[in-house]
Amino acid sequence: MAEPLLRVDGLTARYGQLQAVRGVSFEVDAGAALAVIGENGAGKTTLFHSICGLHGAASGAVVFDGEPLRGVPAHAIVRRGIALVPEGRRIFPSLSVDENLRVAEDQHARDRRGSARPRRWTRDRVYELFPDLRAAARRGGHQISGGQQQMLAIGRALLSEPRLLVLDEVSLGLSPAVVKILYQALTAIRAEGMTLVFVEQDVRKSMAFSDHLVCLHKGTVRLAGRSQAQSLDEVRRAYFG
Amino acid sequence: MQLFETLFNGFLLGGLYGVIGLGLSITFGTMRVVQLAHGDLIVLAAYFLVTVLVPTGIPVLLAAAMVVPALFAVGWGLQRFVIQPSLGRGVLPPLIVTFGISTVLQNVLLLQATADARTLHSSLASAGVHIGGITVAAVRLVDFAVALLCLGLLLLLLGRTALGRALRATSDDPDTARLMGINPRRMYAAAAAIAAATGGVAGVLLAATSTFYPATGSEMLLIAFEVVVVGGLGSLTGTFLGGILLAMSQLLGARLFGPSYALVTGHLVVLVVLVFRPEGLLPRTAP
């Protein structure tokens, strides 16, 4: 049996004084999409930050493509192929839209100097994926709408050429029209074989878009399995504890 | 005409003041650290030029050019090995550490070079240039040109290069910068090195323009503080404009009320600007 691309095993992590993640385990195969759901404070963001190296995990293991990631700093984890689209988008406000993209592109270009492998993602491809961004390319990162910021955050993450894209709150606070554009883009990205782990408040959308789901409640896994095998009621019960 | 001459001289001196503040602006803008030893790094550069390089017989221009990379290395080393360990533990530890560096530098200079006044002896220092009926010191024209060049290069570096974008991204949000693959520690070391290199430029200009002592660093730090605050924290162009405003105020005060009023006039103008524009002349536009 093939090794999963990402394996999280008994992960425990704190958020300040709070034990936010308690012994969480799951696996994600290459090319699959995993939805992580749970109410506010369930530990989703702390879990993502621990995977991506922004928070140190207290115990447990995160293994990506067969290599353990615990203790590896965030900037090195990106180079190994995991990119996070953070909650709140976290656009660099003093950089223009184009510069926000170039920051990720610059770093990746520096890391792969001498590599003959062609780039899969360029700024032009990001602009093709999100034409709204091309029109706003010269505007400041803090001057664009929330939807454009989310497109920019996704585009920026793609420019680090990840094999695993982690998205924290895909559609929070965005209009249905923008959410539709975002999921169309994510569908196109998936079709190219990208592995996704994402948080989505809309449970129906989470189930429809993912292969597997994990429902967290107070830092522990309350429900896990194939998305299509779960009923909406079961998921809702797990969601609200 | 005399008043115009005073204001024009102040304008030119503002270039030197601006370059004195640039380093402080860079370290604060990138790391949110007030580098209390910045003035002493400027004086260290001046001493390095006047007491180490020039006596060996190296041509002055070449010696001056050597000061900048030397200070770049000093800034990088101080950040990497002395200041970096104090970051992320609140506001106070880096302040104490940089204050410590300042004290050590002043005392090392005092021990090694004595408290005697020094300057860079050159024909430039006494030369004057007549422009449209007014006379200005040639060295001030050079100061201003070099300072303007320094500002231009820094703006190009920050605005047009990958390093500049990474520095600005780190300044905005170090955690998100890490998610882009940027190592904030390397960026902080680069920022400190660039800041110290601008201190090197300021040191060379200081040595060419006036006399200095081991304790001159405190005066340099005060100038740097004022021009950075009045210019707008983290804004290089604002810092440069702040330098011009401060220098013009000082020389105007000296002209109108007597030389002993130069400093107090400068402080008063800074105070007035901050009352009406607490964010400074050109604050960074992003939130």
Side-chain angles (χ1 to χ4, degrees), chain A residues 113-129:
Chain A
R113 227 172 258 162
S115 164
R117 208 156 32 91
R119 290 197 66 123
R120 282 183 305 152
W121 286 96
T122 60
R123 273 179 297 144
D124 268 345
R125 273 205 73 195
V126 170
Y127 286 138
E128 281 166 22
L129 189 66

Side-chain angles (χ1 to χ4, degrees), chain A residues 52-54 73-75 78-79 84 86 89-90 92-96 99-100 102-104 106-107 110-111 142 156, chain B residues 158-159 161-162 165-166 168-170 172-173 175-184 186-187 284-287:
Chain A
C52 297
L54 286 178
H75 62 267
V78 185
R79 289 175 200 154
L84 172 67
R89 295 112 201 184
R90 310 267 292 259
F92 299 116
S94 72
L95 273 60
S96 69
E99 285 177 325
N100 265 276
R102 289 186 75 162
V103 163
D106 293 338
Q107 296 309 310
R110 199 198 62 190
D111 296 338
H142 64 297
R156 199 174 58 174
Chain B
L158 289 175
T161 66
R165 284 188 287 275
R168 285 155 58 212
T170 308
D172 279 351
D173 184 344
D175 273 347
T176 306
R178 291 164 69 197
L179 293 175
M180 303 297 107
I182 296 168
N183 181 352
R186 289 183 64 173
M187 289 302 109
R284 287 175 69 174
T285 48

Side-chain angles (χ1 to χ4, degrees), chain B:
Chain B
M1 189 55 101
Q2 277 190 338
L3 190 67
F4 181 72
E5 186 175 308
T6 301
L7 288 174
F8 190 63
N9 270 296
F11 180 80
L12 294 180
L13 180 63
L16 174 59
Y17 281 17
V19 85
I20 287 170
L22 286 178
L24 201 69
S25 188
I26 291 167
T27 47
F28 183 81
T30 312
M31 290 181 266
R32 304 290 181 270
V33 166
V34 179
Q35 167 49 305
L36 292 178
H38 185 65
D40 302 290
L41 288 175
I42 292 170
V43 177
L44 176 71
Y47 271 103
F48 183 54
L49 174 68
V50 172
T51 66
V52 178
L53 295 178
V54 171
T56 61
I58 299 172
V60 173
L61 276 180
L62 179 61
M66 288 168 70
V67 170
V68 180
L71 262 286
F72 183 93
V74 169
W76 186 89
L78 282 176
Q79 175 63 33
R80 182 72 185 79
F81 300 110
V82 185
I83 300 171
Q84 181 63 47
S86 72
L87 297 186
R89 301 165 190 228
V91 177
L92 209 52
L95 274 181
I96 293 170
V97 167
T98 56
F99 181 71
I101 296 169
S102 165
T103 308
V104 169
L105 281 177
Q106 283 194 21
N107 284 283
V108 167
L109 289 174
L110 196 60
L111 271 175
Q112 296 297 316
T114 74
D116 293 346
R118 308 276 183 157
T119 190
L120 179 67
H121 298 288
S122 72
S123 54
L124 193 67
S126 54
V129 178
H130 301 283
I131 307 171
I134 60 171
T135 306
V136 292
V139 71
R140 284 198 177 152
L141 279 173
V142 173
D143 284 355
F144 192 83
V146 172
L148 206 58
L149 180 70
C150 197
L151 175 70
L153 288 175
L154 281 175
L155 289 177
L156 274 179
L157 173 81
L158 289 175
R160 299 289 172 86
T161 66
L163 175 63
R165 284 188 287 275
L167 282 167
R168 285 155 58 212
T170 308
S171 162
D172 279 351
D173 184 344
D175 273 347
T176 306
R178 291 164 69 197
L179 293 175
M180 303 297 107
I182 296 168
N183 181 352
R185 286 182 176 213
R186 289 183 64 173
M187 289 302 109
Y188 293 159
I194 293 165
T198 68
V201 175
V204 169
L205 299 182
L206 170 72
T209 309
S210 65
T211 54
F212 55 91
Y213 314 84
T216 304
S218 306
E219 295 168 30
M220 296 295 108
L221 184 65
L222 185 60
I223 291 170
F225 260 137
E226 289 193 326
V227 302
V228 168
V229 172
V230 83
L233 290 173
S235 160
L236 296 184
T237 310
T239 298
F240 201 78
L241 291 180
I244 290 173
L245 179 73
L246 181 67
M248 286 174 83
S249 311
Q250 285 185 354
L251 294 201
L252 193 63
R255 164 73 69 185
L256 296 177
F257 312 115
S260 57
Y261 284 87
L263 289 178
V264 77
T265 313
H267 298 327
L268 278 174
V269 170
V270 167
L271 199 63
V272 169
V273 170
L274 291 183
V275 166
F276 292 101
R277 278 187 78 87
E279 71 280 17
L281 295 172
L282 285 181
R284 287 175 69 174
T285 48

Side-chain angles (χ1 to χ4, degrees), chain A:
Chain A
M1 195 168 162
E3 177 83 1
L5 183 66
L6 177 72
R7 183 163 58 82
V8 175
D9 193 6
L11 193 75
T12 300
R14 305 186 75 85
Y15 179 75
Q17 295 301 308
L18 183 76
Q19 182 100 21
V21 176
R22 303 155 185 253
V24 168
S25 301
F26 60 82
E27 293 180 350
V28 189
D29 291 329
L34 173 84
V36 178
I37 60 172
E39 57 187 343
N40 287 342
K44 306 181 298 287
T45 295
T46 306
L47 171 67
F48 281 11
H49 283 193
S50 302
I51 292 170
C52 297
L54 286 178
H55 278 180
S59 63
V62 177
V63 180
F64 180 69
D65 201 15
E67 289 186 34
L69 292 185
R70 252 189 80 193
V72 179
H75 62 267
I77 287 179
V78 185
R79 289 175 200 154
R80 295 191 185 189
I82 301 181
L84 172 67
V85 177
E87 185 182 5
R89 295 112 201 184
R90 310 267 292 259
I91 299 304
F92 299 116
S94 72
L95 273 60
S96 69
V97 167
D98 195 59
E99 285 177 325
N100 265 276
L101 295 174
R102 289 186 75 162
V103 163
E105 199 176 43
D106 293 338
Q107 296 309 310
H108 189 71
R110 199 198 62 190
D111 296 338
R112 66 194 294 280
R113 227 172 258 162
S115 164
R117 208 156 32 91
R119 290 197 66 123
R120 282 183 305 152
W121 286 96
T122 60
R123 273 179 297 144
D124 268 345
R125 273 205 73 195
V126 170
Y127 286 138
E128 281 166 22
L129 189 66
F130 298 118
D132 269 17
L133 290 183
R134 192 189 293 276
R138 296 175 75 90
R139 292 174 67 187
H142 64 297
Q143 294 173 318
I144 56 176
S145 69
Q148 288 172 322
Q149 287 192 2
Q150 187 66 312
M151 294 172 198
L152 180 53
I154 293 171
R156 199 174 58 174
L158 290 172
L159 284 169
S160 63
E161 302 274 4
R163 283 179 287 159
L164 170 64
L165 186 62
V166 181
L167 302 109
D168 195 354
E169 301 289 7
V170 177
S171 66
L172 188 67
L174 302 177
S175 70
V178 169
V179 173
K180 191 176 169 192
I181 293 171
L182 291 175
Y183 273 96
Q184 279 171 350
L186 290 177
T187 304
I189 294 164
R190 265 196 82 180
E192 295 189 13
M194 181 76 78
T195 311
L196 298 178
V197 175
F198 66 100
V199 166
E200 171 57 68
Q201 292 288 348
D202 182 336
V203 174
R204 281 177 199 273
K205 198 171 273 299
S206 298
M207 292 173 71
F209 193 72
S210 61
D211 303 303
H212 292 81
L213 66 81
V214 167
C215 182
L216 294 183
H217 184 74
K218 292 183 177 171
T220 58
V221 175
R222 181 59 66 94
L223 178 75
R226 288 191 63 80
S227 303
Q228 302 306 318
Q230 316 295 325
S231 74
L232 190 59
D233 281 346
E234 260 181 317
V235 174
R236 279 186 174 148
R237 270 199 299 279
Y239 190 101
F240 292 112

